[in-house]
Amino acid sequence: MTENRNNGLGTTFLAFTLGAVIGGGLALLTAPRSGSETREKLQGMVDETRTKMNNITKEAEERLKKTVEEGMHRVEEKSDQVKAAVKAGKEAMEAEKTK
């Protein structure tokens, strides 16, 4: 449930950021400024958006790594449990054969 909420928040944030960039870009293009001023403003917005997207990407990468590590740990635990169960089964079979 937490994962779904986090995914929803990420999607919402991405949609909000994309909408803000598009809206800001349109506002800049229709504003009464010189070409060089408009280019500077657009470059600033691009740099800011790039920084935000890099942060989102790093956060997603960290979450993914954590999830993979947790999954590997769980697989190892289950593997150990299965090995112990198989060993116990073999021992029980051997005990029955010797009776």
Side-chain angles (χ1 to χ4, degrees), residues 5-91:
R5 187 174 59 195
N6 288 340
N7 288 340
L9 289 174
T11 302
T12 301
F13 179 75
L14 181 61
F16 177 78
T17 302
L18 186 59
V21 168
I22 292 171
L26 289 174
L28 286 173
L29 292 174
T30 59
R33 290 192 175 100
S34 69
S36 61
E37 288 176 358
T38 301
R39 284 190 294 276
E40 286 177 18
K41 273 287 213 195
L42 284 172
Q43 187 60 47
M45 288 180 62
V46 167
D47 292 341
E48 182 180 328
T49 302
R50 183 178 297 133
T51 301
K52 287 179 183 179
M53 294 308 291
N54 285 339
N55 291 340
I56 290 171
T57 302
K58 286 178 186 176
E59 183 180 318
E61 184 178 347
E62 290 170 4
R63 286 183 185 177
L64 181 61
K65 283 181 182 179
K66 182 180 176 183
T67 302
V68 168
E69 287 173 3
E70 289 174 356
M72 292 299 291
H73 180 68
R74 287 186 180 144
V75 166
E76 289 173 7
E77 286 178 351
K78 296 297 180 185
S79 175
D80 291 342
Q81 290 175 355
V82 168
K83 287 176 185 176
V86 168
K87 182 179 176 183
K90 286 180 180 179
E91 290 173 355

